[in-house]
Amino acid sequence: MDVHEITPCCSPVLTEPLTEADAEELAAAFKVVADPVRLRLLSLIAQAGEICSCDLVAPIGKSQPTISHHMSVLADSGLVHREKRGKWAWYSVVPERLSVLRDALGGVPVARS
């Protein structure tokens, strides 16, 4: 997966039509979080505030190489900050990057039953 840093790109999707380039950039950003393992990792990190990579394997139930791969995708996209401390990596969520995704969906009407 070709991962780019998530940056503000466009107006909310329902306020005006997206250009092809903006749509491609936004789709790539959403693809980063379109994986259940990455969503769970983001949730764990956000809840903890900051967490060691050594504490991510057991709750997710995946192998260390799998966790490492997903964390690299999240870090490369800018959704999490990685800090090396000794032999371990510590992660924290970058709220500004998550808001790019949230803001892109701004104005999405809520379905009513």
Side-chain angles (χ1 to χ4, degrees):
M1 181 164 135
D2 188 22
V3 180
H4 299 283
E5 189 172 298
I6 295 172
T7 58
C9 72
C10 48
S11 300
V13 297
L14 294 183
T15 60
E16 61 186 65
L18 294 174
T19 66
E20 184 175 344
D22 285 346
E24 287 176 10
E25 185 174 339
L26 199 52
F30 278 110
K31 191 181 288 188
V32 170
V33 294
D35 182 278
V37 172
R38 288 193 285 273
L39 281 176
R40 289 185 65 209
L41 287 165
L42 269 175
S43 177
L44 281 169
I45 297 164
Q47 187 273 326
E50 181 179 64
I51 194 166
C52 177
S53 59
C54 60
D55 294 325
L56 293 172
V57 175
I60 299 296
K62 301 290 183 186
S63 68
Q64 188 281 324
T66 297
I67 296 297
S68 181
H69 162 74
H70 287 296
M71 290 310 302
S72 288
V73 171
L74 290 170
D76 291 348
S77 72
L79 289 172
V80 297
H81 171 73
R82 176 178 34 214
E83 181 181 332
K84 193 85 163 143
R85 297 183 194 164
K87 70 176 187 170
W88 297 109
W90 285 75
Y91 294 96
S92 57
V93 171
V94 179
E96 303 81 32
R97 297 299 163 90
L98 285 175
S99 20
V100 169
L101 299 178
R102 183 196 64 229
D103 293 349
L105 295 175
V108 176
V110 176
R112 304 213 187 261
S113 305

XYZ file of all heavy atoms in Angstrom:
850
model
N 0.841 -1.172 0.000
C 0.000 0.000 0.000
C 0.886 1.236 0.000
O 1.763 1.370 0.833
C -0.891 -0.041 1.246
C -1.838 1.087 1.370
S -3.099 0.684 2.570
C -3.171 2.169 3.476
N 0.644 2.100 -0.932
C 1.398 3.342 -1.035
C 0.768 4.354 -0.077
O -0.356 4.789 -0.284
C 1.345 3.847 -2.479
C 2.252 5.028 -2.715
O 3.213 5.210 -1.939
O 2.004 5.768 -3.674
N 1.480 4.702 0.988
C 0.927 5.567 2.027
C 1.547 6.955 1.933
O 2.761 7.097 1.875
C 1.200 4.978 3.429
C 0.635 5.875 4.506
C 0.643 3.574 3.537
N 0.670 7.963 1.933
C 1.103 9.353 1.942
C 0.642 9.994 3.233
O -0.346 9.589 3.821
C 0.511 10.120 0.754
C 0.920 9.575 -0.569
N 2.160 9.804 -1.113
C 0.267 8.783 -1.448
C 2.251 9.195 -2.279
N 1.109 8.557 -2.500
N 1.348 11.021 3.643
C 0.951 11.752 4.836
C -0.401 12.411 4.596
O -0.644 13.002 3.548
C 2.003 12.815 5.157
C 1.778 13.474 6.485
C 2.936 14.378 6.851
O 4.063 13.862 7.000
O 2.696 15.578 6.973
N -1.287 12.280 5.564
C -2.621 12.857 5.459
C -2.534 14.350 5.749
O -2.060 14.761 6.798
C -3.588 12.158 6.432
C -3.754 10.686 6.017
C -4.938 12.864 6.470
C -4.529 9.843 7.001
N -2.974 15.137 4.776
C -2.962 16.597 4.911
C -4.312 17.134 4.452
O -5.009 16.483 3.671
C -1.847 17.224 4.054
O -2.051 16.839 2.691
C -0.470 16.780 4.508
N -4.679 18.320 4.920
C -5.938 18.904 4.437
C -5.890 19.061 2.921
O -4.894 19.504 2.374
C -5.984 20.273 5.127
C -5.071 20.154 6.294
C -4.005 19.171 5.892
N -6.976 18.667 2.262
C -6.931 18.720 0.804
C -8.085 19.462 0.179
O -7.963 19.989 -0.907
C -6.882 17.305 0.221
S -8.439 16.401 0.368
N -9.202 19.471 0.849
C -10.375 19.916 0.111
C -11.502 20.330 1.049
O -11.422 20.135 2.245
C -10.856 18.793 -0.793
S -10.976 17.202 0.049
N -12.556 20.847 0.445
C -13.758 21.192 1.198
C -14.476 19.904 1.584
O -14.260 18.858 0.966
C -14.684 22.037 0.335
O -14.029 23.221 -0.054
N -15.350 19.976 2.583
C -16.154 18.783 2.906
C -16.843 18.251 1.656
O -17.256 19.026 0.790
C -17.153 19.301 3.943
C -16.430 20.437 4.604
C -15.634 21.088 3.486
N -16.980 16.946 1.588
C -17.452 16.292 0.361
C -18.847 16.713 -0.078
O -19.163 16.626 -1.260
C -17.371 14.751 0.465
C -15.949 14.298 0.617
C -18.232 14.215 1.596
N -19.691 17.176 0.824
C -21.042 17.557 0.426
C -21.217 19.045 0.181
O -22.295 19.488 -0.193
C -22.055 17.094 1.481
C -22.199 15.581 1.614
C -23.279 15.235 2.620
C -22.504 14.924 0.276
N -20.154 19.820 0.354
C -20.307 21.258 0.141
C -20.047 21.666 -1.303
O -20.600 22.657 -1.776
C -19.386 22.077 1.057
O -18.033 21.735 0.792
C -19.710 21.840 2.520
N -19.207 20.898 -1.984
C -18.939 21.162 -3.397
C -18.294 19.913 -3.994
O -17.718 19.098 -3.282
C -18.038 22.378 -3.584
C -16.671 22.256 -2.944
C -15.870 23.546 -3.044
O -16.288 24.543 -2.444
O -14.833 23.527 -3.718
N -18.425 19.758 -5.308
C -17.840 18.568 -5.951
C -16.318 18.534 -5.773
O -15.650 19.564 -5.848
C -18.206 18.738 -7.434
C -19.369 19.675 -7.442
C -19.162 20.583 -6.258
N -15.796 17.345 -5.530
C -14.347 17.162 -5.403
C -13.706 17.093 -6.778
O -14.287 16.544 -7.719
C -14.034 15.849 -4.682
C -14.442 15.728 -3.223
C -14.192 14.307 -2.728
C -13.661 16.714 -2.380
N -12.510 17.611 -6.873
C -11.741 17.405 -8.095
C -11.257 15.960 -8.082
O -11.265 15.293 -7.035
C -10.524 18.343 -8.165
O -9.612 17.975 -7.112
C -10.930 19.804 -8.040
N -10.824 15.493 -9.223
C -10.319 14.121 -9.290
C -9.116 13.944 -8.366
O -9.011 12.951 -7.640
C -9.932 13.767 -10.731
C -9.500 12.317 -10.879
C -9.242 11.927 -12.329
O -9.674 12.646 -13.245
O -8.596 10.883 -12.524
N -8.213 14.920 -8.351
C -7.013 14.834 -7.501
C -7.386 14.820 -6.016
O -6.841 14.036 -5.241
C -6.067 15.994 -7.800
N -8.337 15.695 -5.616
C -8.761 15.715 -4.219
C -9.437 14.405 -3.827
O -9.220 13.885 -2.731
C -9.715 16.888 -3.953
C -9.003 18.221 -3.882
O -7.755 18.239 -3.772
O -9.699 19.255 -3.942
N -10.254 13.864 -4.727
C -10.933 12.598 -4.447
C -9.925 11.464 -4.273
O -10.066 10.628 -3.374
C -11.920 12.270 -5.574
N -8.890 11.442 -5.104
C -7.863 10.407 -4.985
C -7.092 10.548 -3.676
O -6.824 9.563 -2.994
C -6.909 10.459 -6.183
C -7.544 9.935 -7.457
C -6.642 10.061 -8.669
O -5.435 10.375 -8.513
O -7.147 9.850 -9.783
N -6.753 11.786 -3.305
C -6.018 12.025 -2.068
C -6.853 11.645 -0.847
O -6.373 10.996 0.076
C -5.604 13.493 -1.985
C -4.728 13.799 -0.796
C -4.217 15.231 -0.809
O -4.200 15.871 -1.874
O -3.824 15.693 0.272
N -8.120 12.013 -0.863
C -9.002 11.705 0.250
C -9.268 10.201 0.351
O -9.269 9.630 1.451
C -10.310 12.484 0.090
C -11.181 12.668 1.301
C -10.395 13.237 2.479
C -12.355 13.581 0.963
N -9.452 9.547 -0.775
C -9.665 8.097 -0.778
C -8.447 7.370 -0.222
O -8.581 6.407 0.547
C -9.976 7.606 -2.196
N -7.260 7.816 -0.575
C -6.034 7.202 -0.044
C -5.955 7.387 1.467
O -5.551 6.470 2.198
C -4.804 7.808 -0.718
N -6.359 8.557 1.958
C -6.342 8.807 3.398
C -7.334 7.896 4.118
O -7.018 7.310 5.162
C -6.663 10.276 3.680
N -8.531 7.749 3.571
C -9.521 6.870 4.201
C -9.120 5.398 4.111
O -9.474 4.598 4.978
C -10.912 7.094 3.612
C -11.616 8.269 4.219
C -11.840 9.419 3.484
C -12.038 8.237 5.539
C -12.471 10.511 4.051
C -12.677 9.318 6.119
C -12.890 10.459 5.371
N -8.367 5.046 3.089
C -7.903 3.665 2.957
C -7.025 3.269 4.140
O -7.032 2.131 4.581
C -7.134 3.491 1.641
C -6.854 2.040 1.290
C -6.068 1.915 -0.002
C -6.949 2.247 -1.176
N -6.295 1.948 -2.469
N -6.286 4.223 4.678
C -5.419 3.953 5.838
C -6.248 3.460 7.016
O -5.855 2.539 7.720
C -4.603 5.211 6.217
C -3.884 5.023 7.544
C -3.610 5.545 5.118
N -7.407 4.068 7.240
C -8.232 3.677 8.386
C -9.315 2.668 8.020
O -10.143 2.316 8.857
C -8.862 4.906 9.088
C -7.797 5.769 9.714
C -9.746 5.691 8.149
N -9.301 2.183 6.789
C -10.309 1.226 6.339
C -9.945 -0.208 6.680
O -10.487 -1.137 6.111
C -10.541 1.374 4.835
N -9.042 -0.388 7.604
C -8.610 -1.717 8.028
C -8.990 -1.905 9.494
O -8.660 -1.055 10.328
C -7.091 -1.838 7.857
C -6.601 -3.214 8.247
O -6.410 -3.466 9.457
O -6.419 -4.042 7.339
N -9.661 -3.010 9.843
C -10.097 -3.220 11.227
C -8.945 -3.243 12.240
O -9.094 -2.728 13.350
C -10.809 -4.570 11.201
C -11.092 -4.860 9.780
C -10.123 -4.072 8.950
N -7.808 -3.800 11.870
C -6.669 -3.843 12.790
C -6.165 -2.423 13.054
O -5.921 -2.040 14.208
C -5.530 -4.743 12.253
C -4.277 -4.627 13.112
C -5.994 -6.194 12.188
N -6.051 -1.615 12.004
C -5.574 -0.241 12.197
C -6.571 0.588 13.006
O -6.180 1.401 13.841
C -5.256 0.415 10.853
C -3.981 -0.160 10.235
C -3.466 0.663 9.092
N -4.212 0.526 7.868
C -3.984 -0.404 6.944
N -3.021 -1.294 7.114
N -4.704 -0.451 5.850
N -7.863 0.364 12.796
C -8.862 1.072 13.602
C -8.750 0.693 15.081
O -8.832 1.547 15.961
C -10.278 0.781 13.099
C -10.724 1.552 11.871
C -12.103 1.087 11.416
C -10.747 3.044 12.155
N -8.549 -0.587 15.349
C -8.401 -1.030 16.740
C -7.132 -0.450 17.349
O -7.117 -0.029 18.504
C -8.387 -2.559 16.818
C -9.772 -3.160 16.524
C -9.811 -4.651 16.714
N -9.593 -4.960 18.126
C -9.038 -6.090 18.554
N -8.636 -7.003 17.692
N -8.887 -6.307 19.838
N -6.056 -0.436 16.584
C -4.799 0.148 17.083
C -4.983 1.627 17.402
O -4.563 2.091 18.467
C -3.667 -0.055 16.067
C -3.133 -1.478 15.943
C -2.300 -1.634 14.680
C -2.329 -1.850 17.179
N -5.612 2.376 16.507
C -5.871 3.796 16.757
C -6.692 3.980 18.028
O -6.418 4.861 18.840
C -6.627 4.417 15.585
C -5.816 5.029 14.472
C -6.731 5.480 13.335
C -4.979 6.188 14.957
N -7.687 3.133 18.200
C -8.547 3.206 19.380
C -7.760 2.948 20.661
O -7.901 3.671 21.651
C -9.688 2.192 19.233
O -10.498 2.190 20.367
N -6.915 1.928 20.644
C -6.082 1.613 21.813
C -5.131 2.753 22.143
O -4.974 3.129 23.307
C -5.264 0.344 21.566
C -5.967 -0.986 21.730
C -5.093 -2.109 21.192
C -6.306 -1.220 23.194
N -4.503 3.299 21.131
C -3.539 4.384 21.346
C -4.251 5.630 21.862
O -3.789 6.274 22.806
C -2.754 4.675 20.050
C -1.929 3.455 19.645
C -1.848 5.894 20.234
C -1.431 3.495 18.218
N -5.395 5.958 21.263
C -6.145 7.137 21.694
C -6.591 6.988 23.144
O -6.497 7.934 23.926
C -7.351 7.355 20.783
N -7.040 5.805 23.512
C -7.504 5.570 24.881
C -6.358 5.686 25.876
O -6.499 6.252 26.950
C -8.169 4.193 24.972
C -8.853 3.889 26.289
C -7.912 3.292 27.318
O -6.999 2.562 26.993
N -8.127 3.649 28.571
N -5.183 5.187 25.494
C -4.024 5.205 26.388
C -3.349 6.575 26.418
O -2.668 6.907 27.384
C -3.012 4.140 25.957
N -3.495 7.343 25.373
C -2.787 8.617 25.271
C -1.417 8.425 24.658
O -1.026 9.108 23.746
N -0.705 7.452 25.162
C 0.624 7.069 24.660
C 0.804 5.609 25.038
O 0.427 5.203 26.123
C 1.684 7.936 25.322
C 3.083 7.643 24.856
C 4.105 8.547 25.540
O 4.250 8.455 26.774
O 4.747 9.306 24.815
N 1.357 4.820 24.123
C 1.487 3.390 24.406
C 2.738 2.825 23.734
O 3.118 3.257 22.648
C 0.209 2.628 23.959
C 0.165 1.218 24.547
C 0.079 2.625 22.453
C -1.197 0.564 24.437
N 3.349 1.873 24.405
C 4.525 1.177 23.885
C 4.084 0.117 22.879
O 3.061 -0.548 23.079
C 5.274 0.529 25.051
S 6.711 -0.440 24.527
N 4.867 -0.046 21.842
C 4.555 -1.073 20.846
C 4.475 -2.456 21.480
O 3.721 -3.308 21.037
C 5.583 -1.061 19.719
O 6.881 -1.293 20.236
N 5.215 -2.651 22.552
C 5.205 -3.948 23.234
C 3.843 -4.247 23.864
O 3.535 -5.404 24.146
C 6.306 -4.000 24.296
S 6.156 -2.739 25.582
N 3.007 -3.229 24.055
C 1.691 -3.411 24.669
C 0.564 -3.491 23.650
O -0.611 -3.469 24.030
C 1.412 -2.266 25.652
C 2.356 -2.285 26.837
O 2.727 -3.384 27.292
O 2.742 -1.186 27.296
N 0.891 -3.585 22.369
C -0.141 -3.628 21.329
C -0.410 -5.032 20.805
O -1.485 -5.285 20.254
C 0.262 -2.718 20.162
C 0.303 -1.226 20.470
C 0.898 -0.465 19.288
C -1.074 -0.707 20.826
N 0.510 -5.950 20.981
C 0.362 -7.285 20.401
C -0.767 -8.072 21.064
O -1.672 -8.570 20.382
C 1.699 -8.070 20.471
C 1.513 -9.502 19.993
C 2.760 -7.367 19.627
N -0.744 -8.188 22.380
C -1.733 -9.009 23.092
C -3.176 -8.539 22.883
O -4.042 -9.357 22.551
C -1.387 -9.085 24.577
N -3.481 -7.252 23.060
C -4.883 -6.851 22.905
C -5.425 -7.026 21.488
O -6.613 -7.247 21.302
C -4.906 -5.368 23.290
C -3.558 -5.001 23.734
C -2.641 -6.147 23.495
N -4.566 -6.926 20.500
C -5.010 -7.059 19.112
C -5.057 -8.536 18.687
O -5.845 -8.917 17.834
C -4.098 -6.241 18.158
C -4.143 -4.756 18.516
C -4.478 -6.446 16.697
C -5.490 -4.083 18.349
N -4.192 -9.346 19.286
C -4.193 -10.770 18.953
C -3.557 -11.093 17.613
O -3.894 -12.100 16.985
N -2.664 -10.244 17.178
C -1.935 -10.472 15.925
C -0.449 -10.572 16.250
O -0.003 -10.180 17.316
C -2.159 -9.312 14.938
C -3.601 -9.076 14.557
C -4.127 -10.188 13.691
C -5.564 -9.892 13.254
N -6.152 -11.003 12.535
N 0.321 -11.071 15.304
C 1.757 -11.227 15.531
C 2.450 -9.863 15.562
O 1.944 -8.873 15.019
C 2.374 -12.086 14.430
O 2.347 -11.391 13.197
N 3.632 -9.827 16.159
C 4.404 -8.587 16.239
C 4.706 -8.025 14.851
O 4.568 -6.816 14.637
C 5.675 -8.817 17.063
C 6.462 -7.548 17.365
C 7.313 -7.091 16.179
O 7.854 -7.907 15.444
N 7.411 -5.786 15.997
N 5.109 -8.858 13.870
C 5.358 -8.293 12.531
C 4.105 -7.664 11.906
O 4.197 -6.649 11.221
C 5.840 -9.490 11.715
C 6.415 -10.425 12.726
C 5.546 -10.261 13.944
N 2.942 -8.246 12.169
C 1.690 -7.693 11.646
C 1.398 -6.345 12.296
O 1.060 -5.370 11.610
C 0.517 -8.668 11.883
O 0.782 -9.872 11.161
C -0.810 -8.080 11.422
N 1.562 -6.273 13.613
C 1.350 -5.017 14.334
C 2.340 -3.966 13.819
O 1.965 -2.819 13.558
C 1.513 -5.213 15.857
C 0.449 -6.165 16.398
C 1.493 -3.872 16.592
C -0.970 -5.701 16.263
N 3.580 -4.361 13.643
C 4.615 -3.445 13.159
C 4.250 -2.883 11.786
O 4.412 -1.688 11.531
C 5.951 -4.175 13.108
O 6.964 -3.322 12.666
N 3.763 -3.736 10.898
C 3.351 -3.296 9.563
C 2.243 -2.248 9.663
O 2.325 -1.174 9.043
C 2.870 -4.483 8.721
C 2.048 -4.062 7.539
N 2.597 -3.479 6.416
C 0.707 -4.099 7.336
C 1.630 -3.193 5.561
N 0.474 -3.553 6.093
N 1.203 -2.550 10.431
C 0.072 -1.627 10.548
C 0.483 -0.318 11.224
O 0.018 0.754 10.829
C -1.085 -2.289 11.296
C -1.788 -3.326 10.488
N -2.485 -3.035 9.334
C -1.896 -4.660 10.658
C -3.001 -4.144 8.832
N -2.655 -5.148 9.617
N 1.376 -0.406 12.200
C 1.838 0.813 12.865
C 2.670 1.666 11.913
O 2.604 2.891 11.959
C 2.619 0.475 14.138
C 1.749 -0.093 15.258
S 0.256 0.880 15.612
C 0.953 2.476 16.001
N 3.422 1.029 11.034
C 4.190 1.783 10.026
C 3.257 2.531 9.085
O 3.515 3.682 8.735
C 5.087 0.844 9.226
O 6.148 0.414 10.020
N 2.163 1.889 8.682
C 1.187 2.544 7.811
C 0.587 3.756 8.527
O 0.485 4.846 7.955
C 0.080 1.553 7.369
C -1.048 2.276 6.648
C 0.662 0.457 6.482
N 0.199 3.564 9.795
C -0.384 4.667 10.561
C 0.624 5.800 10.763
O 0.277 6.977 10.647
C -0.905 4.168 11.912
C -2.143 3.271 11.847
C -2.413 2.634 13.201
C -3.355 4.055 11.365
N 1.866 5.454 11.042
C 2.904 6.475 11.251
C 3.236 7.188 9.940
O 3.373 8.419 9.921
C 4.156 5.839 11.851
N 3.357 6.449 8.847
C 3.672 7.063 7.551
C 2.572 8.030 7.103
O 2.846 9.019 6.434
C 3.894 6.002 6.477
C 5.174 5.204 6.687
O 6.008 5.618 7.524
O 5.323 4.159 6.025
N 1.330 7.727 7.489
C 0.214 8.599 7.117
C 0.137 9.832 8.015
O -0.581 10.775 7.704
C -1.108 7.831 7.214
O -1.448 7.621 8.580
N 0.862 9.789 9.126
C 0.845 10.917 10.047
C -0.251 10.840 11.094
O -0.415 11.758 11.891
N -1.032 9.753 11.108
C -2.102 9.628 12.097
C -1.571 9.362 13.500
O -2.229 9.678 14.481
C -3.079 8.515 11.704
C -3.971 8.831 10.509
C -4.761 7.611 10.088
C -4.904 9.990 10.824
N -0.387 8.754 13.575
C 0.241 8.540 14.883
C 1.675 9.058 14.840
O 2.312 9.087 13.788
C 0.230 7.049 15.332
C -1.184 6.527 15.503
C 1.021 6.177 14.396
N 2.133 9.463 15.998
C 3.517 9.901 16.173
C 4.285 8.738 16.799
O 3.799 8.111 17.736
C 3.567 11.126 17.092
C 4.958 11.506 17.488
N 5.844 12.090 16.611
C 5.619 11.354 18.661
C 6.999 12.286 17.241
N 6.879 11.858 18.476
N 5.463 8.446 16.245
C 6.304 7.355 16.755
C 7.555 7.959 17.364
O 8.222 8.780 16.747
C 6.666 6.409 15.613
C 7.611 5.302 16.005
C 7.913 4.338 14.866
N 7.945 4.981 13.566
C 7.552 4.406 12.435
N 7.101 3.187 12.431
N 7.617 5.060 11.298
N 7.858 7.537 18.583
C 9.065 7.994 19.266
C 9.834 6.764 19.742
O 9.294 5.929 20.449
C 8.701 8.861 20.471
C 9.911 9.384 21.213
C 9.510 10.216 22.424
O 8.436 10.821 22.428
O 10.303 10.223 23.385
N 11.066 6.656 19.333
C 11.921 5.536 19.722
C 12.502 5.806 21.101
O 13.100 6.853 21.330
C 13.037 5.376 18.691
C 13.792 4.090 18.814
C 13.070 2.991 18.077
C 14.043 1.851 17.855
N 13.461 0.575 17.962
N 12.294 4.885 22.027
C 12.866 4.969 23.372
C 13.551 3.642 23.657
O 12.887 2.640 23.898
C 11.783 5.210 24.421
C 11.047 6.510 24.259
C 10.052 6.716 25.368
N 9.143 7.785 25.048
C 7.996 7.979 25.674
N 7.629 7.174 26.666
N 7.223 8.991 25.334
N 14.864 3.666 23.598
C 15.601 2.413 23.750
C 15.277 1.503 22.596
O 15.347 1.899 21.437
N 14.878 0.267 22.906
C 14.554 -0.668 21.824
C 13.077 -0.664 21.456
O 12.657 -1.341 20.541
C 14.999 -2.084 22.191
C 14.216 -2.742 23.290
C 14.705 -4.186 23.486
C 13.817 -4.923 24.456
N 14.107 -6.339 24.489
N 12.270 0.128 22.161
C 10.829 0.150 21.910
C 10.392 1.443 21.238
O 10.966 2.501 21.446
C 10.051 -0.014 23.223
C 10.302 -1.313 23.898
C 11.001 -1.516 25.050
C 9.897 -2.606 23.452
N 11.045 -2.843 25.355
C 10.369 -3.548 24.391
C 9.176 -3.068 22.352
C 10.146 -4.902 24.260
C 8.954 -4.433 22.230
C 9.436 -5.328 23.172
N 9.328 1.322 20.473
C 8.677 2.497 19.881
C 7.442 2.823 20.715
O 6.704 1.916 21.119
C 8.276 2.213 18.444
N 7.245 4.097 20.977
C 6.064 4.573 21.691
C 5.226 5.372 20.711
O 5.754 6.136 19.893
C 6.469 5.441 22.884
C 6.986 4.613 24.016
C 8.205 3.996 24.106
C 6.285 4.264 25.206
N 8.306 3.308 25.285
C 7.137 3.454 25.985
C 5.019 4.580 25.706
C 6.766 2.948 27.217
C 4.646 4.078 26.934
C 5.506 3.266 27.675
N 3.909 5.207 20.791
C 3.005 5.839 19.841
C 1.983 6.716 20.550
O 1.528 6.409 21.650
C 2.249 4.774 19.032
C 3.149 3.966 18.146
C 3.648 2.736 18.568
C 3.502 4.427 16.881
C 4.487 1.997 17.746
C 4.342 3.682 16.059
C 4.821 2.466 16.498
O 5.641 1.736 15.695
N 1.614 7.803 19.872
C 0.513 8.653 20.309
C -0.239 9.117 19.061
O 0.334 9.192 17.972
C 1.021 9.851 21.118
O 1.940 10.601 20.357
N -1.523 9.387 19.229
C -2.362 9.834 18.114
C -2.068 11.302 17.819
O -1.792 12.086 18.720
C -3.854 9.638 18.469
C -4.761 10.285 17.443
C -4.176 8.150 18.591
N -2.124 11.662 16.542
C -1.966 13.055 16.113
C -3.374 13.562 15.770
O -3.877 13.313 14.674
C -1.021 13.174 14.897
C -0.888 14.619 14.447
C 0.339 12.563 15.212
N -4.023 14.240 16.730
C -5.426 14.634 16.543
C -5.680 15.471 15.292
O -6.725 15.334 14.651
C -5.760 15.439 17.804
C -4.695 15.129 18.786
C -3.494 14.684 18.005
N -4.728 16.328 14.930
C -4.921 17.186 13.755
C -5.108 16.366 12.485
O -5.843 16.762 11.579
C -3.724 18.131 13.563
C -3.423 19.011 14.741
C -2.623 18.318 15.845
O -1.790 17.428 15.560
O -2.858 18.660 17.013
N -4.410 15.228 12.403
C -4.526 14.391 11.197
C -5.869 13.666 11.169
O -6.469 13.515 10.113
C -3.382 13.380 11.121
C -2.028 14.023 10.996
C -1.947 14.866 9.714
N -0.840 15.788 9.746
C 0.375 15.505 9.301
N 0.644 14.351 8.782
N 1.316 16.414 9.382
N -6.345 13.240 12.339
C -7.662 12.604 12.387
C -8.747 13.614 12.024
O -9.735 13.279 11.388
C -7.928 12.020 13.773
C -7.183 10.730 14.085
C -7.425 10.316 15.526
C -7.590 9.617 13.141
N -8.546 14.886 12.419
C -9.562 15.887 12.092
C -9.652 16.140 10.597
O -10.697 16.547 10.117
C -9.408 17.196 12.821
O -8.213 17.455 13.316
N -8.575 15.908 9.850
C -8.645 16.060 8.396
C -9.709 15.119 7.839
O -10.540 15.512 7.014
C -7.273 15.772 7.737
C -7.400 15.667 6.225
C -6.259 16.826 8.122
N -9.710 13.875 8.327
C -10.698 12.899 7.857
C -12.096 13.277 8.332
O -13.055 13.227 7.567
C -10.329 11.495 8.348
C -8.978 10.968 7.866
C -8.701 9.598 8.449
C -8.921 10.929 6.349
N -12.210 13.654 9.606
C -13.513 14.048 10.153
C -14.066 15.250 9.395
O -15.226 15.267 9.000
C -13.388 14.376 11.638
C -14.725 14.725 12.291
C -14.583 15.414 13.621
N -13.934 16.709 13.430
C -12.899 17.131 14.142
N -12.401 16.389 15.099
N -12.356 18.308 13.904
N -13.222 16.260 9.185
C -13.674 17.491 8.532
C -14.077 17.252 7.076
O -14.959 17.934 6.559
C -12.595 18.564 8.603
C -12.347 19.045 10.035
O -13.148 18.708 10.936
O -11.328 19.724 10.247
N -13.435 16.306 6.434
C -13.786 16.004 5.037
C -15.215 15.485 4.934
O -15.868 15.654 3.907
C -12.819 14.981 4.449
N -15.708 14.877 6.014
C -17.077 14.374 6.021
C -18.050 15.385 6.609
O -19.230 15.081 6.761
C -17.156 13.065 6.811
C -16.384 11.900 6.206
C -16.441 10.700 7.128
C -16.916 11.560 4.828
N -17.572 16.572 6.932
C -18.428 17.603 7.507
C -19.663 17.839 6.660
O -19.601 17.833 5.442
N -20.770 17.998 7.321
C -22.007 18.264 6.614
C -22.705 17.012 6.118
O -23.722 17.112 5.452
N -22.176 15.828 6.468
C -22.844 14.601 6.041
C -24.129 14.456 6.856
O -24.097 14.458 8.078
C -21.944 13.362 6.252
C -22.684 12.092 5.894
C -20.684 13.496 5.394
N -25.294 14.383 6.188
C -26.541 14.271 6.935
C -26.635 12.934 7.663
O -26.139 11.919 7.198
C -27.623 14.374 5.848
C -26.932 14.068 4.569
C -25.478 14.374 4.757
N -27.265 12.972 8.814
C -27.467 11.769 9.618
C -28.739 11.102 9.119
O -29.782 11.747 8.989
C -27.585 12.130 11.122
C -27.886 10.910 11.934
C -26.320 12.823 11.594
N -28.634 9.799 8.851
C -29.811 9.043 8.386
C -30.825 8.951 9.525
O -30.479 8.712 10.666
C -29.386 7.654 7.933
N -32.054 9.169 9.192
C -33.131 9.099 10.198
C -34.004 7.881 9.886
O -34.318 7.622 8.741
C -33.955 10.364 10.169
C -33.092 11.592 10.380
C -33.836 12.661 11.115
N -33.065 13.877 11.173
C -32.355 14.241 12.230
N -32.329 13.488 13.298
N -31.684 15.376 12.220
N -34.369 7.190 10.928
C -35.224 5.996 10.754
C -36.681 6.372 10.677
O -37.153 7.251 11.262
C -35.031 5.037 11.922
O -33.686 4.710 12.059
